[in-house]
Amino acid sequence: MHRALCPVETLYVGQRSRAVLSCTLRGRVDIEALTAAFRAVTQANPTLRSRIVADGTGHALALLDEAERPRLETRAGELAEAYATELNRPLPVGGPLSRAVLVSAPGGTDHLFVLVVDHTVTDGHSSITLHNTLWDHYRSLVTDEHPQSVRPDEADAPDWPEPVSTLLPPADEADTAAYLDARVTQTKRHPVELVPYDAAHTPDQATAAGAGEGHIDVCRLTLDTEHTTRLRERARQAGVSVHALIAAALLSTARRRFEGEGPRTLGCLSPVDLRSRLTPPLPASVMVPAVTTHLQTLQVAANSDPLDLARTVHARVSDFISGGSHFHEMRITPEIPRNPALQLATVIVTNMGVVPGPRLPGDLRVVDVRLVPAREHYFPQAGRSPVMACVVSFEGRLAIEFPHYTACFSPSFMRAFRDEVLDGLLAFASAARREPATADAG
């Protein structure tokens, strides 16, 4: 059985982007139970046991034969090396759209579990939910809890999820066309500047990467619970979102990569979740990409106040959503190949919000959880590109992942960028006023 991809989903086919969920574990892992848990979630979600095939002038999802379906891969090895390997390992078109790997360090008590899903069939929220659901199945199996119900294998009539583009509220075609014209005009009037690559100008990096070659690496920023809490307090006191504070820190850091003191036109791209904004809301368990984007341009000078930037970012994103433009933006997404500037930004700032980590049985604990986007195509020859920051708070601790291609941005460049963003966030957090203690009267 086939399920045609909608025009929005088709964009991901060319991008070859994927969500890489991982968790570092300590304790004993029951391989048989984890194998069964992965099979359960792939059985319940036909998109995870599918491939992308040609369908006329477009593409479609087609179920894999039983022998081709993804199964848990296990091996022994060093965990940091294994993570780098899986981050750089693609999901080729024509193959499975998901992969699960467990790597155990020598000694058998430390493990890395990696779950990779093609963005054609997932977004950040659904990939996190899938990851947690898999571990819920595992916990049920090893603790003899009542197993979660799993739909039977529907190979003959799979229950394909509906594309989000078909779930949008009705719209007048003329209104959508007018919105597109306005967006294209805006991008022409305010072209944004991209961050210049440094790798091509670094002899040691060019030698290490080879002639125009590199690999995906990731630089990470983390805050402990105290600083995460204080950052939230500062956002609340300033009347902005944490997302806006992070975007402001990124924009300020990016501005320092350009010469001069005067204003430069920078772009901030913010993904916008559609699940909670559909009627009825779409559960995070539904495996489809359900996100659109908001692009705004700002004049950022060397001395721009980061809090003023945050207020601008917050107000514009709020107006974008309250005015219903997020639905229009999804409708015009198929126009992006003809108008790439519609999503061209200096910084891309995702935000999954505060999400739970997996719940595990008592003999196994989570040391760390990560979500990193990766893709296949990078363009060192372009000389510049956006900087991406993937923001997520697992169990109340904020983390920002900076994935990059080493033939474009060197590891030292990204470490310096990361450290400056951290300084900006700590400055926001230190400015938070502690709420006064109160006592009940009487």
Side-chain angles (χ1 to χ4, degrees), residues 409-428:
F409 295 117
S410 68
S412 60
F413 177 95
M414 290 310 303
R415 286 194 298 269
F417 196 99
R418 182 268 318 273
D419 291 346
E420 290 184 32
V421 173
L422 175 60
D423 289 343
L425 296 182
L426 292 178
F428 280 134

Side-chain angles (χ1 to χ4, degrees), residues 1-2 46 49 63 151-160:
M1 298 291 291
H2 287 47
R49 46 190 170 89
L63 288 178
R151 294 193 300 271
D153 191 341
E154 299 171 289
D156 294 331
D159 187 14
W160 298 109

Side-chain angles (χ1 to χ4, degrees), residues 3-6 8-9 12 45 47-48 61 117-127 130 159-167 273-275 278 282-291 330:
R3 193 276 234 173
L5 296 179
C6 75
V8 172
E9 294 168 334
Y12 291 104
N45 294 279
T47 52
L48 299 178
L61 301 176
V117 185
D118 194 303
H119 266 137
T120 306
V121 298
T122 195
D123 55 19
H125 288 292
S126 58
S127 59
L130 174 70
D159 187 14
W160 298 109
E162 287 288 323
V164 169
S165 57
T166 66
L167 304 177
D273 174 52
L274 291 179
R275 293 176 183 272
L278 294 171
L282 187 69
S285 57
V286 179
M287 296 295 297
V288 291
V291 64
M330 173 63 92

Side-chain angles (χ1 to χ4, degrees), residues 140-214:
S140 297
L141 290 169
V142 300
T143 60
D144 294 325
E145 294 179 10
H146 183 68
Q148 293 195 0
S149 61
V150 177
R151 294 193 300 271
D153 191 341
E154 299 171 289
D156 294 331
D159 187 14
W160 298 109
E162 287 288 323
V164 169
S165 57
T166 66
L167 304 177
L168 301 178
D172 187 291
E173 291 185 5
D175 290 342
T176 302
Y179 179 85
L180 174 61
D181 287 343
R183 286 278 286 111
V184 171
T185 299
Q186 181 186 41
T187 61
K188 292 178 179 178
R189 287 179 178 171
H190 305 285
V192 304
E193 299 195 56
L194 306 182
V195 179
Y197 294 152
D198 79 306
H201 305 292
T202 307
D204 59 336
Q205 178 64 25
T207 300
E213 296 181 359

Side-chain angles (χ1 to χ4, degrees), residues 51 118 121 138 202 212 296 307 374 399:
R51 63 158 54 99
D118 194 303
V121 298
Y138 174 86
T202 307
Q296 58 179 290
L307 188 55

Side-chain angles (χ1 to χ4, degrees), residues 28 50 78 107 147 198 204 209 265 293 322 342 355 357 380 416-418 441:
R28 191 185 75 86
S50 301
E78 196 274 325
D198 79 306
D204 59 336
T265 303
T293 57
S322 64
L342 291 171
V355 297
F417 196 99
R418 182 268 318 273

